[in-house]
Structure formats: structure tokens, C-alpha cells
Amino acid sequence: MRRLGISIYPEHASLEENRKYIETAAKYGYKRIFTCLLSVEGNKETVVSEFKDLIALANSFGMEVILDVSPSVFTDLGISYDDLSFFHEIGAAGIRLDMGFTGMEESFMTFNPYDLKIEINISMGTRYIENIIAYDPKRSNLIGCHNFYPHRYTGLSLEHFERTSRQYRENGIRTAAFINSPSATFGPWPVSEGLCTLEMHRDMDMAAQAKHLFATGLVDDVIIANAFATEEELKAISAIDKDMLTLEVELLEGTSETERKIVLEESHFNRGDVSDYVIRSTMSRIKFAGQPFPPHDTEDIRKGDILIDSDLYSRYAGELMVARLPMKNSGKTSIVGRISEQEVFLLDLVQPWQKFRFVEKKKP
């Protein structure tokens, strides 16, 4: 099951602010919380007092809290990799190793008696996960999560993200990555120019970021990296279909009621005999056979245009297509709408036989 998450940073916000944020996220079905021990200063007692109450609150809502740590944190807190009782005592569901050990230690850690999840840093781009697996870990307690990047232009490239994520996918490891809230103002570090895994997401609409990560098929959990996202943002992201790509569209004024019904109410899929130029969802031409489809809005076609063939195309009349490339219009194909500009790039991810649907963009 795919999940959504938030991040909290107790050292940068009041207890009450963090409590309210957790409660709001829980209301909209968020199931994960990321928090960072790397940036916390103080002794073990201070750490316990800052985190324990918030983790207990999160647990009461069925939320899983993962603490970001490194070998230096273990040293600072006097913790050994073969005794993770400290993290269990403060209520954490697991720990994320921002920097790891040798592979053997991680393997032993997965057998901890508390079944704490051991989350590995996906973004490093080495064969780290294969090394851990070579030591025969308890796979059910091994998960992976990408980094986030507060400095502009330092986030991951899409190619690197896909390559490193596949290493975990191929080994059956659950994965997570971060998105950026444009309303949030801070993360764990002083630099905060947005906070995301993929550099291409830094200035992107938040819903498009989440849709993209889920649509890659490489991410199970999407976590908002910075705090605090607004309630409106939390609600909007929670409404995303995590399993089926849902594209936001704007329909043209000249679109008929039948065409609107085809776009917004019918199920869609990309035919298996794929084209470079269009995504073809062909069932509408069968279901609506005999209905009139007079041509309208027949100007040349741009990537992201939603098309329905007119009666002038005879047996193709009523077929819905989505343009993947610019094309000349024969005058027989009606442009009935357009994918929202920030989501047009998602068309590149649609695979043969993949299901998808459209939702009409809300007017401001």
C-alpha cells in the first residue's frame, strides 16, 4: 500500500505547532513521519524529552515515525548497532541511516527484537543495498528512502533517481522519496531553498510532484520534506489517487456534453500497440457509436491536448486521444481540452495498457 508522510523538526518549532501539524496530517490519512536526529544538539535526556511526546501522539493516530540517524549519532548518544532499545523506548517505528556502516551491521540491525525498520539511504548511488543483502538481513525490516536537498541545484537528476531506485525495487525493498511544499519555510538545516529529492520538483506544483513520484512506479511512500505544509496542501495531496495516474484537465468551451462525459466519466487506458504521437483510449468510440461528433477546434495540435475524433473520421469517431507530440490537424480531430501545463510531462510516463483518468481543474 502506498502512503503519504510529513516531516517534523522539534528543535525548530514549538511542541504545540508540531502537535497541530501531526493532528491535521492524520485527519487526511497521512501515515508516515520523518524526523531528524542529525541536527539535534544535547544529551540523551534532552533528545528523549523533545521527541517522546510527539512520537506518542503520532503513534496514537497509527502513524509510523522514522528517525534520521548516522554512526556519529550512535556515538554521541552512546548507542550500539546491536542494541536499539533507545529508539524503541521513545516509540519510533524505525531509524533511517543517512550514512551507513559496512553492511554487516545493517544486516544484524534488521534482526532487532523490537522489529524496528532499518531504512537505507537510496540516493548514494553505490551497491550498498546489495552489500547488505549479501549479509542475509531480515528483509521485512529493511526499507529505503532517498535524501532531500535544501540547496537549489543540488537535488537528484531524474536519471540517477530512477537508476538508484530500481536497485531497491529489484530487491523487493519498500521505497520513499521527498517532495517540497512551497508554503513551508524550514527543514532541519539553516539553508532552505525548497526541500525535495528531485531537482526538477523544486519549483513544481506540489500535486504534480507527488503524482510524478507515484507514476514512476519506483516509490511507495511520498513524504513532504519541509514544514509546515498548509492544511489545504495536505488535503489536496491526500486526494491524489496513488495507484492510478490522474491528470488535471481544462476543457474547452466548445466541448459537447458527450465529449465531456467521455473525458471525465469514462475509464481510460493506453492501447498496447503504442504510438509515439498519441495515447489512444479507444473504448469510447465503441460505447458512443452512433452519437454525433461534429468537428470543432481543429487547429494544429500541441503536446498535452486532449483529442476526440469527429464524424469525419468515420469508424474512429468518438475515440479519445492525448497528444504526446505536436501534430498537424487534418481538420477531422476536435481538441476538447488540455492537460494542465504543470502535468504535461507526466504523459511521458504512461506505459502500454496503463490505466489513467482525468479530473477537471478547479476554477480559482
Side-chain angles (χ1 to χ4, degrees), residues 213-312:
L213 289 179
F214 285 131
T216 65
L218 298 171
V219 173
D220 296 299
D221 298 338
V222 170
I223 305 167
I224 302 169
N226 45 359
F228 295 109
T230 66
E231 181 167 357
E232 291 74 19
E233 288 174 330
L234 293 174
K235 182 179 180 181
I237 301 303
S238 72
I240 290 171
D241 190 325
K242 304 176 192 66
D243 300 308
M244 182 185 293
L245 179 60
T246 302
L247 296 163
E248 189 178 69
V249 301
E250 299 176 78
L251 297 179
L252 272 61
E253 289 185 8
T255 299
S256 70
E257 283 305 308
T258 300
E259 290 168 332
R260 284 182 61 88
K261 186 179 176 83
I262 289 172
V263 174
L264 299 175
E265 298 180 23
E266 293 301 303
S267 298
H268 298 290
F269 64 91
N270 185 23
R271 277 176 57 134
D273 48 347
V274 295
S275 162
D276 286 336
Y277 287 87
V278 290
I279 294 168
R280 296 180 64 194
S281 182
T282 55
M283 294 305 295
S284 56
R285 82 184 196 202
I286 298 171
K287 183 172 181 178
F288 293 89
Q291 294 286 326
F293 289 99
H296 64 89
D297 297 289
T298 56
E299 61 267 23
D300 285 344
I301 296 163
R302 299 176 295 160
K303 180 178 181 178
D305 284 344
I306 302 170
L307 317 170
I308 292 181
D309 278 337
S310 75
D311 294 324
L312 299 178

Side-chain angles (χ1 to χ4, degrees), residues 115-130:
D115 275 334
L116 296 173
K117 303 296 183 188
I118 308 303
E119 189 167 68
I120 308 304
N121 185 346
I122 300 175
S123 299
M124 299 306 290
T126 65
R127 292 291 175 179
Y128 179 39
I129 186 61
E130 283 86 350

Side-chain angles (χ1 to χ4, degrees), residues 20-84:
K20 182 178 179 182
Y21 193 46
I22 291 170
E23 289 170 356
T24 304
K27 180 170 72 172
Y28 293 109
Y30 287 68
K31 291 299 182 185
R32 280 198 58 165
I33 294 179
F34 167 88
T35 191
C36 184
L37 287 183
L38 298 177
S39 58
V40 174
E41 298 179 355
N43 59 26
K44 185 183 291 190
E45 289 71 26
T46 302
V47 172
V48 170
S49 65
E50 288 181 339
F51 286 87
K52 197 167 186 178
D53 287 348
L54 290 174
I55 293 174
L57 176 64
N59 289 342
S60 73
F61 289 114
M63 302 173 82
E64 176 184 275
V65 180
I66 304 291
L67 301 172
D68 200 28
V69 299
S70 69
S72 64
V73 172
F74 278 65
T75 301
D76 293 343
L77 295 176
I79 299 168
S80 169
Y81 75 88
D82 59 359
D83 180 5
L84 304 182

